Amino acid sequence: VDLHSQGDVLIWPYSSLNKKTGNDEDFAALADKIIHFNDFGNGGPHREEFLYRSSGTSKDWAYAALGVSAFTMEVGNSHAQDCAYFYDYILPDNIPALMYLTKISKA
């Protein structure tokens, strides 16, 4: 998981191409579970909330090279979020989603 600012949206591969993966149904199902916790927008390829193409991202590389279910969580409402907003909103809104991901990941 790559935490990034801003937008409250969840993005998965292939964001560099806005192209679906061979595992797009699995990505979509996992994204729906993550979004259940933080109420983010669903920004996967060919989705309404897909923000923009971004080349050279870690999630695209991790999926292509390692087969990892990789996501970017665009958090917050500002590029330079102040600490109070982070501790009062971003952290509590996203800890449950991040804890869920740790529980289902394989070491």
Side-chain angles (χ1 to χ4, degrees), residues 1-2 13 15 54-64 68 70-72:
V1 175
D2 179 16
S15 62
S54 56
S55 62
T57 66
S58 59
K59 73 182 161 308
D60 286 4
W61 177 86
Y63 175 72
V68 173
F71 292 90
T72 295

Side-chain angles (χ1 to χ4, degrees), residues 21-100:
T21 70
N23 300 94
D24 207 61
E25 288 182 23
D26 296 325
F27 271 113
L30 185 52
D32 287 342
K33 290 183 180 189
I34 296 166
I35 290 167
H36 165 79
F37 293 103
N38 60 14
D39 200 31
F40 275 18
N42 190 332
H46 297 284
R47 301 286 174 148
E48 183 178 323
E49 293 176 332
F50 182 81
L51 298 176
Y52 52 84
R53 291 181 182 201
S54 56
S55 62
T57 66
S58 59
K59 73 182 161 308
D60 286 4
W61 177 86
Y63 175 72
L66 305 172
V68 173
S69 296
F71 292 90
T72 295
M73 294 174 71
E74 295 275 0
V75 299
N77 60 13
S78 172
H79 179 70
Q81 204 72 63
D82 68 75
C83 292
Y85 189 86
F86 176 80
Y87 285 111
D88 291 345
Y89 298 101
I90 295 174
L91 195 58
D93 287 351
N94 290 288
I95 287 291
L98 294 169
M99 293 302 294
Y100 171 75

